[in-house]
Amino acid sequence: MPGCFKTTLFALASAVSFASFVLIVVAMGTPKWMTGKILCKTGAELVNATDPELVKFIGDIYYGLFRGGKIRQCGLGGRRSKFSVFPHMVKKLNTGLHVMIIMFLCVAISFSLVSFGFCILNAIKVPYRAIKGPAGICLWNFLAGGFIALALTGFMAAVKLHRLTERIANFRENVFQFVVLEEQFEDCLWVCVASATAHALNLLLIAISCINFPTIKTKTEEANVTAEDIMY
């Protein structure tokens, strides 16, 4: 049975691991990883729109890993539309990279749950195998945080290098062409960053749990033995 201090640290680490698991699941299911402004280039060129008139041709777009939506502004008022990545947009996107991002996050979820289970185990008893002890917990947290970082890097690469927002904006557009005016990462992506930070915090907690702090011993008073005590 581990000491009270170590039990508290492992219990806290298990809570952090479970929180990371929840954060990743919530982030994956939210459709707002990116938002942006899109300009209907074709409509603006048809009417030779000037700067004040361009507002009528600027719409909005948002999307996540599985679904999204946009508001088309082509001079005749806004038109809302929604889309899902699978199976509609598979051919339009870099499918391999997009699937890899989702797989990385799923693996991170698995390692977060493994870390949660091992932290509970270490809070209850001292395991006899090193892989189930602090070393194993550090390994699972390192892998979970690493896969989250890979997923975020892949998503940013898809946005910046593969022009993901522009591809989505022009999905099923046969007449009008849209260009991206601005785009920004939303809170859902930063939730994944928080999840990776949680695993880094777990590494710190496990490192602290391995420190052997000196125990404070109280000095016992020396017994004064007299001749009378020996006689009796």
Side-chain angles (χ1 to χ4, degrees):
M1 183 72 182
C4 182
F5 179 70
K6 290 189 176 182
T7 300
T8 303
L9 286 178
F10 284 123
L12 182 59
S14 65
V16 172
S17 296
F18 187 76
S20 174
F21 158 74
V22 173
L23 288 175
I24 300 174
V25 172
V26 170
M28 289 184 67
T30 308
K32 282 192 177 182
W33 280 48
M34 285 290 298
T35 58
K37 298 287 185 181
I38 52 176
L39 171 67
C40 182
K41 182 180 178 181
T42 307
E45 289 178 348
L46 283 175
V47 299
N48 197 18
T50 57
D51 288 342
E53 297 173 337
L54 285 178
V55 179
K56 298 179 181 179
F57 298 92
I58 297 177
D60 299 303
I61 187 171
Y62 66 90
Y63 60 90
L65 296 179
F66 298 100
R67 62 187 188 279
K70 65 180 179 181
I71 301 176
R72 300 167 71 254
Q73 295 278 6
C74 295
L76 300 175
R79 294 186 179 182
R80 296 178 179 271
S81 62
K82 294 183 178 181
F83 56 84
S84 57
V85 174
F86 299 100
H88 301 146
M89 301 183 66
V90 173
K91 295 181 180 180
K92 193 73 174 179
L93 308 179
N94 188 330
T95 308
L97 180 59
H98 198 79
V99 172
M100 192 180 301
I101 293 169
I102 296 173
M103 290 299 297
F104 282 159
L105 290 176
C106 290
V107 173
I109 287 175
S110 301
F111 283 133
S112 297
L113 290 177
V114 172
S115 172
F116 169 72
F118 278 17
C119 286
I120 293 293
L121 175 65
N122 281 262
I124 297 174
K125 64 178 183 179
V126 179
Y128 62 92
R129 289 186 179 179
I131 193 63
K132 294 182 179 180
I137 297 175
C138 288
L139 175 63
W140 309 131
N141 279 277
F142 177 78
L143 290 175
F147 276 105
I148 294 173
L150 288 174
L152 294 177
T153 303
F155 184 77
M156 292 178 181
V159 172
K160 299 300 182 181
L161 301 181
H162 295 274
R163 300 181 301 170
L164 182 61
T165 306
E166 184 176 334
R167 293 188 181 197
I168 293 176
N170 289 286
F171 174 64
R172 287 181 177 174
E173 294 290 347
N174 299 321
V175 178
F176 297 101
Q177 181 183 2
F178 291 88
V179 294
V180 179
L181 297 181
E182 63 180 51
E183 56 187 359
Q184 62 181 4
F185 297 105
E186 285 299 324
D187 295 339
C188 294
L189 183 133
W190 301 117
V191 166
C192 286
V193 175
S195 177
T197 306
H199 289 290
L201 175 61
N202 260 358
L203 291 176
L204 178 61
L205 291 175
I206 302 306
I208 294 174
S209 71
C210 294
I211 299 175
N212 293 321
F213 294 98
T215 56
I216 301 174
K217 296 181 179 180
T218 58
K219 292 183 178 180
T220 57
E221 295 182 356
E222 295 181 357
N224 295 323
V225 181
T226 60
E228 294 179 356
D229 294 330
I230 296 174
M231 290 178 63
Y232 295 97

